[in-house]
């Protein structure tokens, strides 16, 4: 169902994407985060499997739209030094955990982890396998920039290492758009790389796209969508262009006048929604589409889908540790983020300290609201009895104020309030961040970041 423009003008102000609650702009430098992490492994669940996120910040070239924590570098010595630090950090985790913990998910993000020279990537894997018991069924994913794969043997290399989920950065197929964002990516190259992975039986391939990029038109975007459908990926992530010239200096390289208007952005989004729907893709929620038979869609159907810093997932371990600059992990009631400064990162791991710079210790109220927001963002419904059971509260008493706010949204057709819960409508699904925001105590207190995105 198309997202209506009136609702955007009414609700579409800045709102967090709720990849965490509280959102990361509330994290602070705080003493004692490392002690809390140590305490978790001393007294927490001893047999719990872990998720590991590894951040590789390097890219050989800058895309002007980029909003990621990345650094342009082709200096092999610098990259090798960084990998040394990652290897040291993995060993630090091994020592801190005190055993070879089971790992059920691994994700390499960036920057462009697929650009790491093969021996460097192998060094990281060696360290991972020595420090952790990586499960045979583990979901192992990597963000791949198709521009840098030269031959089929490159695809083999990733599969041999154990990757079984591949995400390809495409963004847009149009030549004028690609030129405007400094990312020339010939169609043939993208198609070849996709086919190399497909032919090797990768069970889930994702394609990243962005709408709202400079010079996108209805016609150009239609052609991009058509080419994505030809590729026939298992999953599609369609991100709204986060244009933040005050935060990301290189966004200034983009001609602001060439960015589609909000009306056009909405048309592009709605066109994608229809076109992917016609092809059998299920709209899972914020940015994500997947085929009906994909594991993520299955998880959504069975209400097992979760949300973390990488977006929606099939129900990962709730215990995520991280390796690499800027990465964010979570263990029980504590979020922790590594320093973004590569010099500080190297110095800290070399000194034998976790390079954690800031984080957040959640209160009981934070944990409850986090649970409610995650269920809303993933299930598009709430079962009050289940929340009461989870949090040991009376929903109507605890969330009286929130329920009043939701009534106005129900009147606008975003959700249906039922006796024992609420159900988000297809229209409300597009505005789920605004429904979730009702439960955000920090947003209520007016603590919003100017960097949160609008609805389209
Ligand atoms: C780390 S990159 C993916 C891997 C690789 N670096 C690449 O670009 O192919 C993650 C994804 O974030 C998305 N992205 C980056 N900057 C963005 C922005 N400003 N707004 C919206 N999406 C963005 C892109 O779709 C990109 O594929
Ligand atoms: S979009 Fe990907 S390749 Fe481009 S600069 Fe950002 S991280 Fe690097």
């Amino acid at each position: 169902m198309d997202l209506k423009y009136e609702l955007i003008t009414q609700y579409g102000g800045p709102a967090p994407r709720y990849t965490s609650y509280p959102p990361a702009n509330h994290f602070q430098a705080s003493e004692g985060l490392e002690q809390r992490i140590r305490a978790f492994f001393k007294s927490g669940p001893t047999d719990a499997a872990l998720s590991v996120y590894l951040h590789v910040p390097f890219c050989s070239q800058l895309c002007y739209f980029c909003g990621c924590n990345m650094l342009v570098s082709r200096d092999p010595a610098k990259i090798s030094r960084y990998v040394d630090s990652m290897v040291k950090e993995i060993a630090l985790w091994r020592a801190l955990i005190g055993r070879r913990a089971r790992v059920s998910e691994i994700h390499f993000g960036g920057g462009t982890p697929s650009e790491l020279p093969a021996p460097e990537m192998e060094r990281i894997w060696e360290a991972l396998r020595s420090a952790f018991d990586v499960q045979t069924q583990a979901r192992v994913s990597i963000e791949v920039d198709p521009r840098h794969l030269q031959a089929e043997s490159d695809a083999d290399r990733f599969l041999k290492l154990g990757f079984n989920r591949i995400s390809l950065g495409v963004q847009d197929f149009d030549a004028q758009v690609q030129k405007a964002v400094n990312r020339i990516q010939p169609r043939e190259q993208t198609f070849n790389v996709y086919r190399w992975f497909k032919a090797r039986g990768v069970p889930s391939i994702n394609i990243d796209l962005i709408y709202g990029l400079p010079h996108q038109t209805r016609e150009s975007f239609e052609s991009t969508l058509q080419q994505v459908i030809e590729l026939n990926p298992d999953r599609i992530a369609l991100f709204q262009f986060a244009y933040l010239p005050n935060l990301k200096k290189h966004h200034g390289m983009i001609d602001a006048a060439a960015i589609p208007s909000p009306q056009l952005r909405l048309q592009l989004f709605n066109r994608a929604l229809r076109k992917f729907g016609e092809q059998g893709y299920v709209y899972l929620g914020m940015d994500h589409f997947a085929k009906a038979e994909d594991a993520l869609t299955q998880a959504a159907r069975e209400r097992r889908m979760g949300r973390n810093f990488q977006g929606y997932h099939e129900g990962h371990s709730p215990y995520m540790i991280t390796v690499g600059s800027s990465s964010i992990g979570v263990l029980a009631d504590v979020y922790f983020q590594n320093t973004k400064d590569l010099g500080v990162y190297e110095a800290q791991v070399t000194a034998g300290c976790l390079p954690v710079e800031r984080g957040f210790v959640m209160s009981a109220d934070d944990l409850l609201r986090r649970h409610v927001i995650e269920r809303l963002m993933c299930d598009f419904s709430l079962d009050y009895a289940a929340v009461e059971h989870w949090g040991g509260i009376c929903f109507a008493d605890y969330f009286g104020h929130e329920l009043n706010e939701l009534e106005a949204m129900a009147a606008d057709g975003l959700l249906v309030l039922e006796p024992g819960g609420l159900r988000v409508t297809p229209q409300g699904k597009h505005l789920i961040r605004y429904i979730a925001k009702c439960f955000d105590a920090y947003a209520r207190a007016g603590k919003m970041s100017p960097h949160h995105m609008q609805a389209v």
Side-chain angles (χ1 to χ4, degrees):
M1 183 196 251
D2 281 11
L3 169 55
K4 293 194 185 117
Y5 192 69
E6 314 84 81
L7 285 173
I8 291 180
T9 46
Q10 191 178 342
Y11 285 104
R17 298 163 55 78
Y18 294 114
T19 50
S20 70
Y21 178 82
N25 59 300
H26 296 290
F27 295 3
Q28 291 162 352
S30 90
E31 296 289 311
L33 288 169
E34 186 165 339
Q35 283 90 311
R36 283 195 169 256
I37 295 168
R38 283 184 190 282
F40 172 84
F41 286 110
K42 223 172 184 179
S43 53
T46 49
D47 62 340
L50 302 177
S51 240
V52 183
Y53 172 76
L54 299 103
H55 192 79
V56 179
F58 306 107
C59 296
S60 55
Q61 199 185 351
L62 175 69
C63 308
Y64 295 154
F65 61 77
C66 185
C68 306
N69 270 312
M70 56 74 65
L71 198 87
V72 179
S73 180
R74 301 178 195 205
D75 176 358
K78 187 173 189 169
I79 294 170
S80 192
R81 254 201 339 268
Y82 182 82
V83 172
D84 289 345
S85 301
M86 291 180 86
V87 168
K88 285 180 196 163
E89 195 185 1
I90 292 169
L92 279 175
W93 278 113
R94 168 67 182 85
L96 187 150
I97 295 169
R99 62 181 180 279
R100 217 166 142 263
R102 285 192 302 130
V103 165
S104 54
E105 288 95 17
I106 296 178
H107 180 77
F108 278 76
T112 306
S114 61
E115 264 196 280
L116 271 185
E120 302 292 2
M121 180 59 102
E122 279 157 23
R123 277 207 299 140
I124 300 174
W125 268 100
E126 222 170 274
L128 279 174
R129 294 204 187 276
S130 124
F132 302 111
D133 173 14
V134 181
Q135 309 280 275
T136 17
Q137 301 296 325
R139 287 179 288 237
V140 187
S141 51
I142 183 165
E143 292 168 8
V144 172
D145 181 339
R147 290 176 296 170
H148 307 290
L149 270 63
Q150 307 293 330
E152 298 205 30
S153 56
D154 283 333
D156 286 328
R157 183 163 68 78
F158 288 111
L159 266 67
K160 232 191 217 156
L161 285 168
F163 289 105
N164 51 35
R165 302 276 193 281
I166 301 289
S167 180
L168 298 179
V170 173
Q171 328 307 348
D172 193 294
F173 277 104
D174 184 78
Q176 194 189 2
V177 175
Q178 291 189 358
K179 188 161 175 255
V181 298
N182 196 38
R183 184 182 175 117
I184 307 296
Q185 184 167 328
R187 167 194 154 102
E188 204 193 348
Q189 176 74 9
T190 302
F191 271 64
N192 280 343
V193 171
Y194 179 87
R195 285 175 183 142
W196 295 339
F197 282 113
K198 195 71 200 165
R200 281 157 181 77
V202 172
S204 192
I205 305 183
N206 173 75
I207 295 267
D208 279 350
L209 299 174
I210 304 181
Y211 74 95
L213 289 176
H215 300 293
Q216 278 178 339
T217 62
R218 278 197 299 275
E219 295 70 29
S220 79
F221 198 60
E222 184 72 24
S223 163
T224 285
L225 295 177
Q226 190 54 42
Q227 293 177 72
V228 172
I229 281 162
E230 268 177 59
L231 280 175
N232 195 23
D234 306 284
R235 299 180 189 177
I236 302 165
L238 172 64
F239 298 111
Q240 174 200 356
F241 174 33
Y243 175 60
L244 303 164
N246 294 332
L247 187 68
K248 299 278 174 189
K249 271 211 182 98
H250 54 261
H251 284 186
M253 310 283 276
I254 286 176
D255 175 8
I259 294 177
S261 66
Q263 287 88 341
L264 177 53
R265 294 205 293 269
L266 180 65
Q267 286 174 6
L268 301 179
F269 173 76
N270 280 333
R271 183 64 195 128
L273 202 64
R274 280 193 186 200
K275 195 144 177 136
F276 293 150
E278 284 160 13
Q279 297 300 317
Y281 286 94
V282 178
Y283 176 54
L284 297 174
M286 278 204 66
D287 317 324
H288 286 69
F289 298 80
K291 286 191 175 160
E293 62 280 13
D294 187 84
L296 193 58
T297 313
Q298 212 170 317
R301 264 196 306 269
E302 294 165 9
R303 304 197 166 192
R304 286 186 288 104
M305 198 159 75
R307 191 160 170 82
N308 65 13
F309 297 102
Q310 283 74 55
Y312 286 116
H313 59 75
E314 299 156 36
H316 282 188
S317 158
Y319 309 118
M320 179 183 279
I321 64 166
T322 59
V323 176
S325 60
S326 77
S327 52
I328 306 178
V330 60
L331 291 167
D333 63 350
V334 58
Y335 286 114
F336 45 95
Q337 179 167 28
N338 279 354
T339 173
K340 294 180 186 172
D341 183 310
L342 259 50
V344 176
Y345 174 66
E346 276 178 35
Q348 296 235 27
V349 293
T350 304
C353 316
L354 284 185
V356 170
E357 183 182 69
R358 53 187 210 130
F360 197 95
V361 179
M362 286 170 270
S363 65
D365 177 69
D366 292 328
L367 288 165
L368 176 64
R369 289 175 188 275
R370 178 175 79 147
H371 174 73
V372 169
I373 287 175
E374 188 177 24
R375 286 338 313 147
L376 264 176
M377 299 290 296
C378 295
D379 300 341
F380 301 93
S381 65
L382 263 190
D383 174 351
Y384 299 157
V387 176
E388 290 176 342
H389 180 72
W390 194 95
I393 49 126
C394 166
F395 195 94
D397 291 348
Y398 201 96
F399 292 118
H401 188 92
E402 287 77 358
L403 283 170
N404 282 341
E405 226 173 287
L406 290 173
E407 270 175 28
M409 290 189 160
D412 288 332
L414 301 192
L415 52 98
V416 180
L417 289 167
E418 291 166 339
L422 70 83
R423 188 167 41 79
V424 174
T425 62
Q427 202 54 235
K429 197 166 179 177
H430 299 306
L431 296 166
I432 191 66
R433 291 189 288 155
Y434 301 91
I435 299 175
K437 199 171 144 193
C438 293
F439 291 91
D440 180 342
Y442 299 92
R444 189 177 301 286
K447 294 182 190 161
M448 291 294 284
S449 159
H451 306 130
H452 290 142
M453 291 303 294
Q454 320 266 334
V456 288

